[in-house]
């Protein structure tokens, strides 16, 4: 898309490319593409992190910051105090080294507010609710997306997306987001 290898592209040049990629994904995967992001919904130097013109809705999973801090610390090889400090910094970015793409996280508070207070149609769920009642939450998400699905369909989808299945798949095939600071992404 840029005519260069990813590692040859600086962040200034990458910002508008990110939006072009969002639009390309949306165009190629019509009528509905699910895209995971770690980005806060902010603009950087006038360029938004998300192409809202092709974003029809958001499913935002809100996780207790105390749990995020522990996961963040393990993933980045930090102690808990360093992780908490990073999570309070609005300049916080993470990079996927294999793809040479930065994600603009901002602080935990800014990240949450950017999505929860946005005008984008959204459904917000606490991670703890997803863990406590995955079938009920799955049903609510399907309704929000106007997808007619039976409880059996939702249970099957949850089995295919289970943490245990992800662990097995990671042991067998690896996982692109595993950290050099941890033996596995999905833990045990």
């Amino acid at each position: 898309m840029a005519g260069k290898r990813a590692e040859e592209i600086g962040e200034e040049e990458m910002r508008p490319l990110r939006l072009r990629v969002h639009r390309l994904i949306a165009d190629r995967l019509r009528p509905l593409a699910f895209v995971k992001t770690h980005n806060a919904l902010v603009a950087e130097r006038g360029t938004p992190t998300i192409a809202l013109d092709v974003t029809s809705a958001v499913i935002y999973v809100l996780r207790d910051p105390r749990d995020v801090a522990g996961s963040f610390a393990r993933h980045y090889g930090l102690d808990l105090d360093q992780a908490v400090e990073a999570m309070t910094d609005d300049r916080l970015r993470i990079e996927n080294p294999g793809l040479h793409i930065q994600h603009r996280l901002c602080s935990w508070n800014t990240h949450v507010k950017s999505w929860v207070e946005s005008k984008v149609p959204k459904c917000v769920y606490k991670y703890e609710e997803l863990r406590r009642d995955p079938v009920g939450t799955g049903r609510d998400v399907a309704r929000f997306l106007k997808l007619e699905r039976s409880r059996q369909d939702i249970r099957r989808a949850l089995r295919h997306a289970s943490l245990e299945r992800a662990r097995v798949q990671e042991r067998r095939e690896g996982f692109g987001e595993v950290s050099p600071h941890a033996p596995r992404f999905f833990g045990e």
Side-chain angles (χ1 to χ4, degrees), residues 28-63:
R28 291 202 175 155
L29 296 177
R30 288 180 191 267
L32 187 62
F34 290 91
V35 178
K36 176 193 90 167
T37 185
H38 290 292
N39 284 306
L41 184 57
V42 295
E44 187 165 35
R45 296 188 184 139
T47 304
T49 54
I50 305 294
L52 290 178
D53 57 308
V54 295
T55 301
S56 57
V58 170
I59 301 167
Y60 189 84
V61 180
L62 177 62
R63 193 168 178 204

Side-chain angles (χ1 to χ4, degrees), residues 112-152:
V112 171
K113 281 183 172 185
S114 75
W115 286 103
V116 171
E117 294 178 0
S118 73
K119 304 248 186 278
V120 181
K122 72 190 85 45
C123 123
V124 178
Y125 287 97
K126 292 181 179 174
Y127 179 77
E128 296 76 17
E129 290 173 18
L130 291 168
R131 299 285 302 209
R132 188 177 57 251
D133 183 15
V135 175
T137 304
R139 182 194 62 236
D140 292 346
V141 169
R143 282 185 190 146
F144 170 74
L145 296 172
K146 297 178 176 64
L147 301 172
E148 297 297 323
R149 296 295 185 261
S150 69
R151 281 184 95 68
Q152 182 179 356

Side-chain angles (χ1 to χ4, degrees), residues 127 131 158-159 161-168 185-187:
Y127 179 77
R131 299 285 302 209
L158 289 167
R159 270 194 315 276
S162 74
L163 193 53
E164 184 50 42
R165 188 168 230 171
R167 286 178 180 137
V168 168
F185 184 85
F186 292 106

Side-chain angles (χ1 to χ4, degrees), residues 13 31 62 66 81 85 97 104 113 117 125 131 181 186 188:
E13 198 175 352
L62 177 62
R66 295 168 295 187
D81 288 338
E85 185 176 334
R104 179 77 191 276
K113 281 183 172 185
E117 294 178 0
Y125 287 97
R131 299 285 302 209
H181 306 286
F186 292 106
E188 291 302 327

